[in-house]
Amino acid sequence: FFFKQKTAYEIKECDWSSDVCSSDLTKLLCVNVHKIQDALTCPRLYFWKWVMNIVPKRINLNFWFGSVIHKANEIMAETTSITKIHKGMMIESKKFLSKYVVDASAHDEIALQTEIMKIMVEVYVKLFKKTMKNFNTVGVEIPFAKKMTKSQVILVGTIDAYGRRDKSFILREIKTAARIGNDYFKRLKYDKQINGYAIGLKKLVKAYPKECLYIVFRKPGISVRQNETVDQFLVRLRDDLIVRSDWYFITYQHRYGKQSIGAVEADLETTTFDLTCKYDFLSTKELMKPENWPRSDRRCLDFGTCSYFSLCMNCIKWKLYLRFFKMRDIRYVMEEAELDKKIKINTLQRSMIKK
């Protein structure tokens, strides 16, 4: 059933090479900040997502919400036209939803959340249009690739948006969050993502950015009341967004420091080197065994139950649960090369050969 999934790397039985034995080594060719963060968070999570290359079939509405808002940010970096922003958001939403299984019971919630997102973006543009125009956009969705020093693995990524202020470069990042604690923005100093993007920008323009315009959309803390229609709720939400705009829309100007960027770059280098050593030491057969990727059980229930919890809880019979997963879409060309059997066998394809 997996071979019918539509992915960037099309799997075909004829691609399986009979002259590749289980002792062949799979090479790690590229990493990105998310891949490294998963390796640091939980090796078993890394295994399911990046070695087995699988993601749940069932949609995660939080990821969908964040993806659509992320697309809005991309468009807002170039225009303040509500019509164009909403159109781009709906295209992204449709594209995202088409990749996952959506329960019938979730349709009403998706429709409501869609209207909430559209209103949030509309109010944000209305309130902060002047500030948005002050961001002199240079590029949007800019890919980068940088060879790591210790391992020669390629660090790849895509910078959401960057611009200029005077002679300095500025990154722009937008996130969604249900809760924002006291230390939410302090962690940015050593955040892998925004510092990784700073490293990527240095590769592109020969200079580190001066700061990151970090924007957080806080998800509404109000919901539809009993005996209240959806339309009435949306009117109440719009009013609340305007009155409490400082609560819903938080802009933090994170100033970069060469020391913190250097510390994060060292983390990226060391983690990638450790992964490379593991790939080089283990045969493909051993690499494909979940027991060789220890589980960090403290992370199982972070932000809800981990999407791969069922696989970890039934590790001996994990293949029986693969029907609930599908192949992860490949974003970078280097990843395709890493999964190409003509180079080295990797991921789910090998485990399914004997099925």
Side-chain angles (χ1 to χ4, degrees):
F1 56 95
F2 275 96
F3 307 132
K4 296 181 181 179
Q5 294 292 335
K6 295 180 180 179
T7 62
Y9 175 66
E10 184 179 356
I11 307 165
K12 298 179 181 178
E13 287 191 63
C14 59
D15 288 336
W16 297 336
S17 177
S18 58
D19 60 352
V20 180
C21 65
S22 61
S23 62
D24 284 334
L25 299 178
T26 297
K27 294 295 182 182
L28 180 67
L29 301 180
C30 70
V31 293
N32 58 61
V33 291
H34 304 292
K35 196 171 183 177
I36 292 173
Q37 188 62 61
D38 285 342
L40 290 170
T41 299
C42 175
R44 185 70 60 80
L45 169 65
Y46 177 92
F47 169 74
W48 298 126
K49 190 173 179 180
W50 302 100
V51 178
M52 294 304 296
N53 201 51
I54 57 176
V55 293
K57 284 184 177 180
R58 194 172 303 280
I59 191 171
N60 184 314
L61 291 182
N62 289 326
F63 290 162
W64 162 74
F65 193 100
S67 178
V68 177
I69 292 295
H70 179 273
K71 185 64 178 180
N73 174 56
E74 178 186 328
I75 303 170
M76 286 190 290
E78 298 183 306
T79 181
T80 57
S81 169
I82 295 298
T83 301
K84 291 182 180 180
I85 297 171
H86 280 177
K87 182 178 179 180
M89 290 171 65
M90 293 307 97
I91 292 174
E92 175 65 21
S93 177
K94 184 177 180 180
K95 178 182 176 182
F96 191 101
L97 293 171
S98 68
K99 299 176 183 179
Y100 295 90
V101 174
V102 181
D103 293 337
S105 58
H107 289 165
D108 289 343
E109 182 63 22
I110 289 174
L112 175 60
Q113 293 297 323
T114 298
E115 293 304 313
I116 289 174
M117 286 189 289
K118 290 169 68 176
I119 291 175
M120 289 189 75
V121 169
E122 183 179 338
V123 172
Y124 178 81
V125 172
K126 180 180 179 181
L127 295 177
F128 300 98
K129 181 180 289 187
K130 184 177 180 180
T131 303
M132 293 168 62
K133 288 184 176 181
N134 289 336
F135 184 82
N136 184 18
T137 303
V138 175
V140 175
E141 289 291 295
I142 307 298
F144 66 86
K146 179 184 183 297
K147 183 179 287 188
M148 308 289 267
T149 303
K150 290 184 178 180
S151 61
Q152 302 299 299
V153 171
I154 306 299
L155 173 67
V156 296
T158 302
I159 297 171
D160 295 340
Y162 78 98
R164 297 198 69 141
R165 179 183 297 161
D166 298 327
K167 296 182 180 180
S168 301
F169 290 101
I170 301 173
L171 292 181
R172 177 188 170 100
E173 186 72 18
I174 192 167
K175 296 292 183 182
T176 60
R179 296 182 300 273
I180 301 177
N182 295 331
D183 297 329
Y184 186 90
F185 294 105
K186 289 182 180 179
R187 65 178 180 79
L188 296 181
K189 184 175 183 178
Y190 296 106
D191 181 76
K192 299 293 186 294
Q193 185 173 20
I194 65 170
N195 282 286
Y197 291 166
I199 294 167
L201 188 65
K202 171 76 180 311
K203 175 68 176 178
L204 295 173
V205 302
K206 312 302 181 185
Y208 287 122
K210 183 178 181 180
E211 62 184 47
C212 176
L213 196 62
Y214 200 90
I215 304 164
V216 180
F217 277 31
R218 195 197 299 256
K219 292 185 178 180
I222 63 174
S223 58
V224 181
R225 294 170 177 167
Q226 189 175 7
N227 300 324
E228 182 181 42
T229 67
V230 171
D231 289 340
Q232 289 172 335
F233 163 71
L234 294 175
V235 170
R236 184 163 58 88
L237 173 63
R238 184 187 295 273
D239 293 339
D240 198 43
L241 289 169
I242 295 172
V243 172
R244 297 197 297 156
S245 60
D246 291 343
W247 190 86
Y248 283 107
F249 309 112
I250 305 171
T251 300
Y252 179 78
Q253 291 182 311
H254 170 73
R255 294 185 66 85
Y256 285 105
K258 288 186 178 180
Q259 183 179 1
S260 57
I261 294 177
V264 171
E265 187 165 18
D267 289 344
L268 299 179
E269 286 276 5
T270 301
T271 305
T272 303
F273 180 75
D274 289 346
L275 283 171
T276 304
C277 290
K278 187 160 191 170
Y279 276 74
D280 289 347
F281 179 77
L282 295 177
S283 67
T284 298
K285 182 178 180 180
E286 292 300 312
L287 198 68
M288 298 293 294
K289 293 181 178 180
E291 55 266 31
N292 287 327
W293 301 84
R295 183 180 68 236
S296 177
D297 52 359
R298 291 181 300 172
R299 299 290 185 177
C300 293
L301 300 178
D302 279 1
F303 308 106
T305 305
C306 175
S307 301
Y308 302 93
F309 192 69
S310 61
L311 295 175
C312 290
M313 289 296 291
N314 302 278
C315 219
I316 297 178
K317 300 180 179 180
W318 61 270
K319 290 185 181 181
L320 297 176
Y321 296 84
L322 288 177
R323 65 184 182 276
F324 300 114
F325 294 82
K326 68 185 187 72
M327 299 297 289
R328 179 179 62 85
D329 287 340
I330 308 302
R331 186 173 185 183
Y332 301 105
V333 175
M334 286 294 296
E335 283 189 284
E336 291 190 35
E338 190 175 303
L339 301 177
D340 193 333
K341 288 186 166 41
K342 293 179 181 178
I343 298 177
K344 289 293 178 183
I345 290 185
N346 193 8
T347 73
L348 183 64
Q349 301 97 302
R350 169 167 283 281
S351 73
M352 298 302 292
I353 294 177
K354 297 180 181 180
K355 187 169 180 177

